[in-house]
Amino acid sequence: MAEDTRQDKRASFSITEHSANGMARTSAVASGKTGTSKKLVIKNFKDRPKLAENYTEDTWLKLRDAVGAIQNSTSIKYNLEELYQAVENLCSYKVSPTLYKQLRQVCEDHVQAQIHQFREYPFLCSLDNLSFLKRMNRCWQDHCRQTIMIRSIFLFLDRTYVLQNSLLPSIWDTGLELFRTHIVSDSAVQKRTVEGILEQIELERNGETVDRSLLRSLLGMLSDLQVYKDSFEERFLTETNRLYAAEGQHLMQERDVPEYLHHVARRLEEENDRIVSYLDQSTQKRLISCVEKQLLEEHMTAILQKGLSTLLDENRVTELTLLYQLFSKVKGGLPTLLQFWRDYIKSFGGEIVCTPEKDKDMVQDLLDFKDKMDNVAQSCFARNESFINAMKEAFETFINKRPNKPAELIAKYVDSKLRAGNKEATEEELERILDKIMIIFRFIHGKDVFEAFYKKDLAKRLLVGKSASVDAEKSMLSKLKHECGAAFTSKLEGMFKDMELSKDIMIQFKQYMQNQSEPSNIELTVNILTMGYWPSYTPMEVHLPTEMVKLQEVFKLFYLGKHSGRKLQWQPTLGHAVLKAEFKEGKKELQVSLFQTLVLLMFNEGEEFSMEEIRAATGIEEGELKRTLQSLACGKARVLNKNPRGKDVEDGDRFNFNNDFKHKLFRIKINQIQMKETVEEQVSTTERVFQDRQYQIDAAVVRIMKMRKTLSHNLLVSELYNQLKFPVKPGDLKKRIESLIDRDYMERDKETPNQYHYVA
């Protein structure tokens, strides 16, 4: 038997298949040797079992009891699985439409019954708004919980019949619809609910603590029931508008601007927090817009008029940043802020520039003001290009309100920084200061005025050896060249070139002097200045000692021997010398100006002289002589005694040599009393600038007319404004045109007086 089994193996099994109606069919399959045909036996379906006569009604009663138990929060008699199966069985036997209607009716009856707890007169009136809200929330929460449980039992119905009928609402949606129709849509209930919610929000806005979870739940209810916008949001926004309109008016009167800005920021933060905590997200845009409009947009001008100047004056960076952030949120906020910012700069800067009493500190004040405004633009106004450009425009406007003076004072400020003895800055700091000055310099229209005063001061620094650093001087020159072009700095560069050439000439002159038969005991140093490069100095004739005159002649012979055809003009006002003097204390060296030298050398010839005698002997102009004597007899190093004593030198004063003079240093520098630049000097420098400007206008007119041949007055003036680099009035241009007509460079048209022709 075993052998047969191995040779002829057989296997048999059966498969049970379930049909859709729950009946089963069995298939038997037999397989034998390879090549054997398969047989499939299919049995007929059994008849569908019929429901018992009262099955539908009994099952519904069972389901209705379960729904009732859920609605009344009592225990359900039946197993939930059994109830679910019952619903499935009913749906399988096409009872779904009836079952759906019956379920809806039961739910509707229950919801309708709930409205009575909110309508009963004594109960409704005795409840305060908060208790009413809690009652409403409890009702809503119960309804949601009940609907979820009912749906879990009728899930099969919800997922088959309801899903297949698109017009029918789901069980959950039906629950929402019933609650909305019978409870929330009731006018009295809805009014009381919305008023209660608004009351709670108002309490919270006034600083009281409220139950946020209650508000979140109730507003979620309104949102789920799709009545949030109509019943709540419009009313809420109206109330918000009213509240903040009143608050804005009230607080603008009471509080200062920094406090008000912080209040607005806090209010915006609170409203955003409300949106996150319990309001619907769709309300955010309109709510925030409402707050911004009532607290900011309505008061923009008032805020800026009342507080911007104070914030900027006190450099309140935090509040200015907040102001910018808040104004950037409202329509027209930044343009309004920009205009006030521009006006503030013009006003504040105009006060610095146009107050003559502040001239002494004008440039430093301008630099500090520019730093401050830069910091505000960078830190507070988010480096907004519009604000930076407005600042530049405002600076350019106010700095040119007072023509010429700022240019002059900037030149003097640069001089004070580049002069030797300026210990307040390292090279790096000096470079930074010069960079800042160049920023202010860019705003000036009359740059030629700056050039004139800068050239005069540079000449003093170079000739008296007072320049702090050649590198700093060259750096400033390079900045000016970069800003204004090579033509602007060509004369200034020529001055440096003269100084270098003078050094080479002096080396040659010293060699020349060594070959002379009569070497002088005075060591002479001469700076050869090209007249076109340097400021013009008024020649002053003084009586030099014979030895000096002789040495001058020797140098003149030497120089003209090398450079024939040139003319030398000596400038005694710029000369200085080192004198050896002997006092009781011992020998000293005095570093003095040429005028001081001439006065002191007189005391080799006598003990005492009057001021008139000194003037006659030296030939020094009276004002200059008084300052010279004042420096020698009334300053810190008093090498002369004045009789009578006093700070000022008067006619009739007498002077004698102070043999008792003492000083801890061997070489003493006696500074000339600096004459404060007189009005006449300033006027003369300014006049020279104006004279140069007239030449430039004349040249520009001739250049334009030569090219155009014929031109109307207006076009000529327009062309001149494009070409000239300094501010000029139309009246001045008209004068120059008339002057050129008088000199036959151009002529008027005989028929059209407003037309000009070039005369070749």
Side-chain angles (χ1 to χ4, degrees):
M1 277 299 289
E3 189 179 331
D4 290 341
T5 305
R6 281 195 304 271
Q7 288 174 350
D8 187 17
K9 289 180 182 175
R10 290 173 182 271
S12 67
F13 51 88
S14 64
I15 301 169
T16 303
E17 292 179 14
H18 287 275
S19 67
N21 62 6
M23 300 308 203
R25 67 172 182 267
T26 306
S27 304
V29 182
S31 66
K33 293 178 182 175
T34 309
T36 308
S37 61
K38 297 178 182 178
K39 290 181 181 178
L40 183 66
V41 180
I42 301 173
K43 294 182 180 180
N44 291 330
F45 286 115
K46 290 180 181 178
D47 290 337
R48 184 174 179 175
K50 289 182 180 178
L51 291 173
E53 250 181 67
N54 298 325
Y55 180 79
T56 306
E57 289 169 23
D58 292 345
T59 305
W60 166 243
L61 289 172
K62 194 190 293 183
L63 290 168
R64 192 182 65 187
D65 286 348
V67 170
I70 290 168
Q71 289 170 340
N72 297 319
S73 300
T74 57
S75 60
I76 304 170
K77 298 175 187 175
Y78 312 101
N79 186 311
L80 288 175
E81 196 175 339
E82 184 185 335
L83 293 170
Y84 180 89
Q85 190 62 52
V87 172
E88 188 177 343
N89 289 340
L90 288 175
C91 291
S92 300
Y93 282 88
K94 311 292 184 190
V95 190
S96 300
T98 310
L99 184 61
Y100 182 80
K101 283 177 189 172
Q102 288 171 322
L103 175 63
R104 180 186 171 91
Q105 191 58 52
V106 169
C107 292
E108 190 167 7
D109 292 344
H110 175 74
V111 173
Q112 279 178 325
Q114 296 301 308
I115 194 68
H116 299 305
Q117 64 176 309
F118 301 108
R119 278 183 174 166
E120 289 167 9
Y121 177 74
F123 175 74
L124 189 63
C125 294
S126 65
L127 271 184
D128 62 80
N129 280 347
L130 181 59
S131 302
F132 180 87
L133 291 180
K134 286 179 178 175
R135 170 66 61 104
M136 170 58 75
N137 185 49
R138 193 158 56 247
C139 179
W140 166 248
Q141 295 295 342
D142 288 347
H143 178 74
C144 290
R145 181 176 47 76
Q146 291 160 12
T147 306
I148 289 167
M149 284 192 71
I150 291 167
R151 182 178 177 271
S152 68
I153 293 170
F154 289 85
L155 190 62
F156 194 85
L157 175 71
D158 207 31
R159 286 186 173 173
T160 53
Y161 173 70
V162 175
L163 208 58
Q164 288 158 11
N165 290 271
S166 57
L167 297 176
L168 292 178
S170 67
I171 293 170
W172 174 257
D173 290 341
T174 303
L176 295 181
E177 182 195 322
L178 293 173
F179 198 88
R180 177 173 63 243
T181 306
H182 297 294
I183 294 183
V184 173
S185 292
D186 182 274
S187 58
V189 172
Q190 189 180 103
K191 185 182 176 190
R192 188 83 190 269
T193 305
V194 171
E195 281 179 356
I197 293 171
L198 290 173
E199 183 187 85
Q200 291 298 301
I201 293 173
E202 190 171 348
L203 286 171
E204 189 183 44
R205 281 173 172 164
N206 292 334
E208 295 185 34
T209 306
V210 298
D211 185 350
R212 285 188 157 199
S213 61
L214 173 66
L215 293 175
R216 181 165 56 247
S217 176
L218 288 169
L219 289 168
M221 171 189 81
L222 296 178
S223 185
D224 289 344
L225 299 177
Q226 296 178 344
V227 294
Y228 178 87
K229 273 197 178 306
D230 298 333
S231 66
F232 171 76
E233 188 178 78
E234 294 304 324
R235 179 95 181 273
F236 168 66
L237 291 172
T238 304
E239 289 297 311
T240 302
N241 219 39
R242 182 189 57 75
L243 169 77
Y244 284 124
E247 185 173 282
Q249 292 288 349
H250 169 65
L251 292 180
M252 271 306 295
Q253 301 295 325
E254 279 193 357
R255 299 191 181 181
D256 60 11
V257 169
E259 201 178 346
Y260 184 79
L261 292 174
H262 284 294
H263 175 79
V264 175
R266 190 168 62 251
R267 280 302 200 193
L268 286 168
E269 197 179 324
E270 285 171 6
E271 296 304 335
N272 274 310
D273 187 41
R274 272 183 200 102
I275 289 156
V276 172
S277 298
Y278 53 78
L279 291 170
D280 193 87
Q281 202 64 34
S282 62
T283 311
Q284 181 174 20
K285 192 174 178 183
R286 293 181 68 192
L287 172 60
I288 298 303
S289 174
C290 168
V291 180
E292 288 170 350
K293 184 176 189 303
Q294 295 303 336
L295 293 184
L296 284 173
E297 200 173 326
E298 295 292 327
H299 306 287
M300 282 194 298
T301 306
I303 289 169
L304 295 171
Q305 282 175 344
K306 187 178 176 183
L308 182 64
S309 297
T310 310
L311 294 178
L312 288 166
D313 288 344
E314 296 174 8
N315 203 24
R316 302 277 286 270
V317 174
T318 307
E319 283 76 17
L320 285 166
T321 307
L322 183 58
L323 178 72
Y324 178 83
Q325 289 168 350
L326 291 174
F327 271 56
S328 63
K329 295 173 189 288
V330 295
K331 186 181 177 184
L334 288 185
T336 309
L337 176 58
L338 182 71
Q339 187 56 48
F340 273 85
W341 152 261
R342 186 190 285 117
D343 292 345
Y344 170 82
I345 294 172
K346 286 180 184 176
S347 166
F348 193 94
E351 198 177 319
I352 294 173
V353 169
C354 299
T355 311
E357 297 78 43
K358 294 184 177 179
D359 281 358
K360 186 183 173 188
D361 301 315
M362 182 200 287
V363 180
Q364 190 57 55
D365 288 347
L366 284 174
L367 291 174
D368 294 342
F369 183 51
K370 182 69 171 61
D371 279 350
K372 187 174 166 183
M373 293 301 100
D374 279 340
N375 183 48
V376 170
Q378 299 286 330
S379 308
C380 309
F381 296 165
R383 301 182 183 181
N384 187 316
E385 274 303 313
S386 304
F387 282 79
I388 292 169
N389 291 335
M391 175 175 63
K392 289 176 182 174
E393 178 200 316
F395 263 84
E396 190 170 341
T397 303
F398 79 69
I399 214 164
N400 291 295
K401 264 187 181 178
R402 188 179 174 194
N404 308 325
K405 196 65 183 178
E408 175 193 331
L409 293 174
I410 289 171
K412 288 178 179 173
Y413 184 84
V414 174
D415 176 56
S416 73
K417 296 297 172 188
L418 292 177
R419 203 184 298 148
N422 176 29
K423 300 284 191 283
E424 58 190 72
T426 62
E427 282 189 19
E428 292 78 14
E429 287 168 345
L430 183 58
E431 191 67 22
R432 275 199 298 275
I433 290 168
L434 295 179
D435 284 334
K436 287 179 182 179
I437 288 169
M438 288 308 298
I439 293 169
I440 301 292
F441 172 73
R442 280 187 198 116
F443 300 130
I444 291 170
H445 289 162
K447 292 183 170 63
D448 49 351
V449 175
F450 171 87
E451 183 196 10
F453 283 96
Y454 183 80
K455 183 162 78 170
K456 194 172 74 169
D457 293 330
L458 174 62
K460 281 183 190 173
R461 292 199 299 276
L462 293 177
L463 295 174
V464 189
K466 280 190 173 179
S467 186
S469 157
V470 176
D471 290 341
E473 293 283 6
K474 296 252 175 103
S475 169
M476 186 64 191
L477 208 57
S478 162
K479 292 179 201 300
L480 290 170
K481 190 172 185 176
H482 181 264
E483 187 64 36
C484 306
F488 186 85
T489 56
S490 60
K491 290 181 180 178
L492 303 175
E493 287 170 336
M495 290 163 73
F496 280 96
K497 201 178 286 179
D498 279 353
M499 295 304 290
E500 285 168 15
L501 287 172
S502 296
K503 286 177 187 173
D504 295 339
I505 290 168
M506 288 321 297
I507 292 168
Q508 295 169 19
F509 179 63
K510 280 177 184 172
Q511 291 171 350
Y512 174 80
M513 286 298 289
Q514 285 169 4
N515 299 329
Q516 292 294 306
S517 55
E518 296 178 22
S520 171
N521 58 354
I522 300 174
E523 190 180 325
L524 177 68
T525 303
V526 181
N527 288 315
I528 311 294
L529 314 180
T530 307
M531 194 171 278
Y533 295 157
W534 296 76
S536 54
Y537 299 103
T538 309
M540 190 183 290
E541 290 295 325
V542 291
H543 307 150
L544 296 176
T546 315
E547 284 184 335
M548 284 190 188
V549 174
K550 188 179 175 185
L551 206 51
Q552 275 185 354
E553 289 302 320
V554 172
F555 180 81
K556 190 175 177 182
L557 195 65
F558 158 76
Y559 184 76
L560 296 178
K562 284 184 169 291
H563 306 279
S564 58
R566 294 191 183 180
K567 184 183 175 186
L568 288 177
Q569 185 183 57
W570 297 91
Q571 291 287 356
T573 51
L574 303 174
H576 53 93
V578 175
L579 293 179
K580 291 178 180 176
E582 203 168 320
F583 302 96
K584 281 183 183 177
E585 191 185 53
K587 291 183 179 180
K588 301 278 184 192
E589 284 187 0
L590 305 177
Q591 199 172 333
V592 286
S593 71
L594 183 61
F595 292 157
Q596 289 170 328
T597 304
L598 298 180
V599 171
L600 290 172
L601 288 175
M602 283 185 66
F603 290 91
N604 285 339
E605 310 299 326
E607 289 292 323
E608 188 177 80
F609 298 96
S610 68
M611 192 184 114
E612 290 73 15
E613 289 170 338
I614 296 171
R615 185 167 63 213
T618 60
I620 301 171
E621 180 266 327
E622 185 179 348
E624 195 69 54
L625 180 60
K626 280 186 177 180
R627 281 194 300 279
T628 303
L629 288 168
Q630 196 177 7
S631 68
L632 295 169
C634 309
K636 287 181 182 177
R638 300 185 181 186
V639 291
L640 297 181
N641 291 322
K642 183 174 90 73
N643 191 21
R645 289 180 175 280
K647 287 187 176 179
D648 296 318
V649 174
E650 305 293 342
D651 292 343
D653 287 353
R654 299 189 68 77
F655 299 87
N656 57 48
F657 185 66
N658 180 13
N659 207 21
D660 299 324
F661 173 75
K662 292 180 180 179
H663 203 284
K664 59 182 179 180
L665 298 176
F666 173 70
R667 177 174 281 199
I668 304 130
K669 186 170 194 286
I670 303 176
N671 290 322
Q672 178 81 355
I673 297 292
Q674 284 297 317
M675 173 181 63
K676 285 184 179 172
E677 196 169 28
T678 59
V679 176
E680 290 79 13
E681 265 192 307
Q682 287 180 354
V683 168
S684 73
T685 306
T686 311
E687 277 178 358
R688 279 202 304 277
V689 172
F690 287 157
Q691 190 63 50
D692 287 344
R693 285 182 179 181
Q694 288 183 350
Y695 296 146
Q696 288 182 54
I697 294 169
D698 289 356
V701 172
V702 171
R703 196 163 52 242
I704 293 164
M705 291 306 300
K706 190 173 183 179
M707 186 169 65
R708 298 290 184 90
K709 305 300 181 192
T710 299
L711 208 59
S712 72
H713 176 79
N714 289 342
L715 284 174
L716 176 58
V717 169
S718 172
E719 194 72 38
L720 283 168
Y721 276 124
N722 289 335
Q723 289 198 16
L724 297 172
K725 294 179 181 177
F726 48 82
V728 60
K729 294 174 186 172
D732 294 338
L733 292 180
K734 198 171 180 184
K735 283 179 188 173
R736 298 319 304 156
I737 292 168
E738 294 293 342
S739 169
L740 289 168
I741 291 171
D742 292 344
R743 287 180 281 158
D744 294 333
Y745 282 95
M746 52 198 282
E747 64 182 8
R748 286 186 191 277
D749 189 272
K750 286 170 184 168
E751 293 179 4
T752 315
N754 215 19
Q755 194 100 346
Y756 303 119
H757 300 294
Y758 175 67
V759 178

